[in-house]
Each structure stands twice: as structure tokens, then as C-alpha cells.
Amino acid sequence: MPVRLSTTSYVVLGMIALRGPSTPYDLKRAVGHSVGYFWHFPHAQLYSEPDRLTEAGLLDRVSEEDGRRRKTYSLTGDGRDALRAWLASPTDEHFQMRDIAELKLFFNEVGDPADVPRLADEQIAQHRARIAEYEQMVERFGDRPEAGPRMITVELGLEMEYAALRFWQALAKDDLDGLRAARRAGRLA
């Protein structure tokens, strides 16, 4: 029976395809500096998933004989084929956003109304910080041809951060009507 591949499976396969042979620790660091900005999952999975993918024949594993006994994984031909098939297949899943601040906003009617302005101020600061981080990435890597495809995800991240910043700023100013009007007029589309 074929193994069922999860999104985490494809993160592992994709990271090894980009980086070359990697230990789970290498994967954790690479994810933290790349897809971890927009795809959150328990990083403990980066330690268990490579063994599962090895059993499925999608990765090869080399273990150190002594010392720390690190395991280094590399992509097999079947692993590369599985990754390419996944990349080529359309995605019909709806965009997922797991935002704790949005969850708190949803349930706030049972909380203290004073929490909303504090939450908005907090979110404004966080989104500005993330925008600055993304802008630094664009400044550092945006002109490098080899960074091209990955920089597209940074651009998407920037757009999402700016949209979230506009929302929280409008909420902080109690001007959601102004935000709605700008969107209807096509100024935010």
C-alpha cells in the first residue's frame, strides 16, 4: 500500500531537494529561515518524517557509525518524482490562515472591550516588524537570479502583511468603514 504523503512530507522532500543531503537539525534550521515564515507546524515532525519517507523509498539515509550518530537524508529518484508530481498538481484547498489574534478578536465579546485596542496595537507592531524583515530579504536577495522563485513567496508574504497591517490600523482607528470603502473602490484590490 502506498504511503500517504502530508504537507510536512513535501516540506521535507522539498527542503532536501533544495539543500541537498540534510540532517533533521539542518531541516529545522532551513525551515526556520524559509517556509517557517508562512507554514507553521510542529518542528518535531522534521525529526520523525524523514525516517517514514526513508521506509517509503523516497529518501536514502546514511547514519554515522560513532560520535553523535547523526542521520543524513538524501532524495531518491522516487522522492524527486513524488515531489515533482505534487508541485505539478493543482491545489484546490482554500487558503489557510491560523492567526491567534484573529481568533481572540472573534471571541472578544466575552472578554474586556479594552482588550481590542491593545490587541490591535500589538498586531500593528508585529506586522510592521515582519514587513521590515521581509523588506530586508528583498533588499539582500531580490536581485539574485538564483533567489527568483523563492523571492516570489516573500513578495506574497509582504502583500499579506501589508493587508493585515491595514486591517489592524483601521481597527485601531475605529475606521473599518473607511477600509471597506477603499476596498469597494478598488484601491485595495
Side-chain angles (χ1 to χ4, degrees):
M1 181 170 169
V3 65
R4 184 180 180 287
L5 299 181
S6 67
T7 305
T8 302
S9 304
Y10 293 113
V11 168
V12 169
L13 293 172
M15 276 297 157
I16 293 173
L18 289 175
R19 298 187 80 259
S22 303
T23 66
Y25 179 75
D26 295 333
L27 294 173
K28 180 180 161 224
R29 287 183 48 120
V31 164
H33 295 348
S34 61
V35 299
Y37 284 109
F38 58 87
W39 189 261
H40 302 282
F41 61 94
H43 287 178
Q45 292 176 353
L46 295 173
Y47 288 86
S48 60
E49 189 64 13
D51 282 331
R52 195 174 82 80
L53 296 173
T54 298
E55 290 171 19
L58 303 177
L59 294 178
D60 281 329
R61 176 181 52 224
V62 174
S63 299
E64 289 180 348
E65 298 279 326
D66 43 312
R68 295 172 69 191
R69 297 194 179 290
R70 284 182 290 221
K71 298 175 188 176
T72 302
Y73 299 87
S74 57
L75 208 55
T76 64
D78 286 346
R80 186 169 302 281
D81 290 346
L83 178 62
R84 286 183 173 156
W86 177 72
L87 291 169
S89 66
T91 299
D92 60 357
E93 292 182 28
H94 187 284
F95 167 79
Q96 294 180 27
M97 180 170 59
R98 294 173 52 121
D99 182 4
I100 293 172
E102 188 175 356
L103 197 57
K104 287 182 175 188
L105 191 58
F106 180 84
F107 289 114
N108 193 264
E109 72 181 59
V110 296
D112 181 350
D115 290 341
V116 173
R118 283 193 299 271
L119 181 63
D121 289 344
E122 208 175 81
Q123 291 305 300
I124 290 167
Q126 287 183 26
H127 289 290
R128 283 182 175 155
R130 184 56 65 95
I131 287 168
E133 202 171 341
Y134 282 153
E135 292 287 4
Q136 287 175 354
M137 286 180 199
V138 169
E139 200 172 295
R140 272 195 324 257
F141 305 113
D143 293 338
R144 293 184 187 173
E146 69 276 10
R150 284 173 282 206
M151 289 310 296
I152 293 170
T153 58
V154 173
E155 294 293 343
L156 178 58
L158 266 169
E159 288 301 315
M160 294 170 77
E161 290 295 332
Y162 276 116
L165 179 61
R166 281 191 302 273
F167 169 81
W168 289 106
Q169 286 174 328
L171 184 64
K173 294 177 192 171
D174 196 23
D175 188 26
L176 289 178
D177 289 338
L179 184 66
R180 287 182 197 111
R183 192 171 50 243
R184 282 188 204 111
R187 294 192 304 264
L188 302 179

